[in-house]
Amino acid sequence: MRRFYSRLGKFDVRFRYLIVVAWVVVTAVCVSILPGLGSVAKNTESGFLPANSPSMHALSSSTPFRTPISPPPPWWPRAVAAR
């Protein structure tokens, strides 16, 4: 195993610039070809659950009782912005 890492180190030192260029090329190709994270990720875990699961049933049953989030009352202390 020692000999393997010794040879790997020598290879890395000898071709260091080629390795960096290869990583940049691979990164550029992956960014241009693969889809963005926003297009494959979902906001909630509900995308992974089947429609007949208890969690999804509870979510659909609670819809009429949910209210939109309202802003805090005017007397509520506000956070001081960092300067």
Side-chain angles (χ1 to χ4, degrees):
M1 198 56 141
R2 218 172 178 181
R3 193 168 67 185
F4 170 75
Y5 286 121
S6 175
R7 288 183 181 175
L8 181 63
K10 287 177 185 176
F11 176 83
D12 290 343
V13 170
R14 185 172 180 191
F15 297 107
R16 61 186 172 264
Y17 299 115
L18 181 63
I19 292 171
V20 170
V21 170
W23 273 108
V24 170
V25 169
V26 167
T27 302
V29 168
C30 288
V31 166
S32 65
I33 291 177
L34 297 176
L37 184 60
S39 66
V40 294
K42 298 196 185 235
N43 256 1
T44 63
E45 293 82 22
S46 62
F48 301 107
L49 298 173
N52 60 354
S53 69
S55 303
M56 293 303 292
H57 180 67
L59 181 66
S60 63
S61 299
S62 68
T63 302
F65 302 105
R66 285 188 271 155
T67 58
I69 298 173
S70 59
W75 50 267
W76 191 259
R78 297 182 187 264
V80 177
R83 295 177 191 222

